[in-house]
Amino acid sequence: MKLKQLVQSVENEVIELRRHLHRHPEVSGEEFETSKTIQEKLSEAGIPFKTGYAKTGVLGIIKGEKPGGTVALRADIDALPIQEENDLAYKSTIQNTMHACGHDAHTAMLVGAGKVLNQLKEEMAGTILLVFQPAEENAPVGGSQQMMDDGVFDEYTPDLIFGQHVWPDLPVGEVGVLPHEIMGASDRFKITVKGSGGHASMPHQSNDAIIIANNLITQLQTIVSRNTDPIDSAVLTIGKIEGGYRYNVIADEVTLEGTIRTFKPEVKEMVKDRFHSIIEGIGKSFGANMAIDYLDGYPATINTPQWADEVRNAAQKVLGEHSTPVVSPSLGGEDFSRFLQKYPGAFYWLGTSVKETETQYPLHDPRFKLNESALRKGVEVMAQLALDTLKKFEKRSQEE
Ligand code: NI
C-alpha cells in the first residue's frame, strides 16, 4: 500500500518530466541537456550520482540501511533523427529529432522509481543502481558497452539488471516478458561481386557479375530453408541490389545489401558461417572476386529465466494476476543485450497502447504516441521488482 501511495505522489512529476524531454529530444551521443536534466532531478531528490560514462551516461546510487545485493535498473535516454508529425502541446521543438521510441518515458519513469525507492531506503537491504544509458539507437556501437568500459559498474557491481521498454502492442496495465530470448540479433551485410564487363553479344569474353549475383541470391536463401532447424528463427533479406550500365553491356560489378536476424547465438553463428562459405564457393566456381562487409549488430537479448519470473511476479502484484499475457519475441535489436551478456536479469515490455482512443503507430514512426497513464504503472513495477529482488538476496545471505 505504501509503495502505491509513493508512486502516486510522483506521477505528475514523471509525466511532466517525460513531456519536457519529449519537447527537447537529443540524438545518440549528444544527450547533453538530457543528462543535465537527469542530474538535476537526482540532486533534487537527494540521490547521489556519478557521471562520465559513455559521455552523457549517469549512474544514480541508492544505498539501503543494511548491506545486501545490488540491483540495477536501466533506462535509455536518446532520441531518433525523425521529424515528429504529431500535433501535441509538448511535441518536439527540435528539427528532425524525436523521441519516437519512448526513451523519454523510460528516463522519466526511472527518475520516478528512484525517487520512490530513495524514500524506502531505511527499510532496504542492499543497493539500487539507476543506470541512464545514452546512444541505444546508435547500433551496432550503442552506449551500454561504452558505459561498462568507462567503469560504470566498477565500484558497485550488479547482481542483477533490469530494463523496461514501452510497448505499443500491449494495452495499458499489461507487461510482456519471456524466460528466454525476447529481442533478436540484427546483423548487416554488403557483398560486392567483381567479374569483368564486355559486349552483350560476347559473353565468353567477360565474367557476368549479374549471373553470379543471381546464383548468390538463390543459394543464400537455402541457409534459412535448408540449414536452419524449422523450429528456430532466422531471416536473411537482401534489400538492395545494384549493378550494370545498359542493355547491351555485361555488368562487371554488382553490390547486394541486406540483413540477417536471429534469436539463438548458435543459429546466428551457423547462418553467418554458411553465408561466408556460400559466397566464397560461388566466387571460386565462377572465378570472380567477392568482397564481404559483415557488420555484427546487437546480440540477441536473452533473459535469465529466474529473473524473468520475478518480473512476472512483480507485474502481477502491481497490475493484477491477468496482467502478463503470453507474448512472442521481437526480432528488433536492443542494446540492453550487452548488459545481459555480463549480468543476469531481464528485459520486459510495458503496455502503453493508445489504441482505445486513436490509431497506434509503431515505434520509430513519426506519428508514434504512448499512453501516459501507463507511466505510473511502469514506475511501480520497476520499484516493486527492485524491492522484491533485493529481498531475495537478503534471504539468501541470511541462509548462508
Ligand atoms: Ni527503444
Side-chain angles (χ1 to χ4, degrees), residues 76 101 103 106 136-137 165 334 364:
D76 39 10
C101 199
H103 300 184
H106 302 168
E136 195 281 327
E137 301 289 359
H165 204 295
E334 167 60 55
H364 293 207

Side-chain angles (χ1 to χ4, degrees), residues 19-39:
R19 291 184 177 190
H20 171 82
L21 296 171
H22 196 86
R23 256 188 227 113
H24 308 283
E26 292 172 302
V27 294
S28 306
E30 291 172 25
E31 309 89 342
F32 298 105
E33 291 305 315
T34 306
S35 180
K36 247 189 235 166
T37 304
I38 294 165
Q39 294 171 43

Side-chain angles (χ1 to χ4, degrees), residues 74 76 78 80 100-103 106 136-137 164-167 183 333-335 347 363-364:
R74 173 273 208 175
D76 39 10
D78 56 328
L80 284 155
C101 199
H103 300 184
H106 302 168
E136 195 281 327
E137 301 289 359
Q164 173 175 268
H165 204 295
V166 301
W167 211 246
M183 307 285 291
E334 167 60 55
D335 194 12
F347 186 74
L363 295 169
H364 293 207

Side-chain angles (χ1 to χ4, degrees), residues 365-382:
D365 189 290
R367 297 158 297 178
F368 169 72
K369 277 187 195 170
L370 61 84
N371 194 325
E372 288 181 328
S373 67
L375 300 190
R376 111 180 108 83
K377 300 180 197 293
V379 171
E380 196 176 340
V381 172
M382 251 196 295

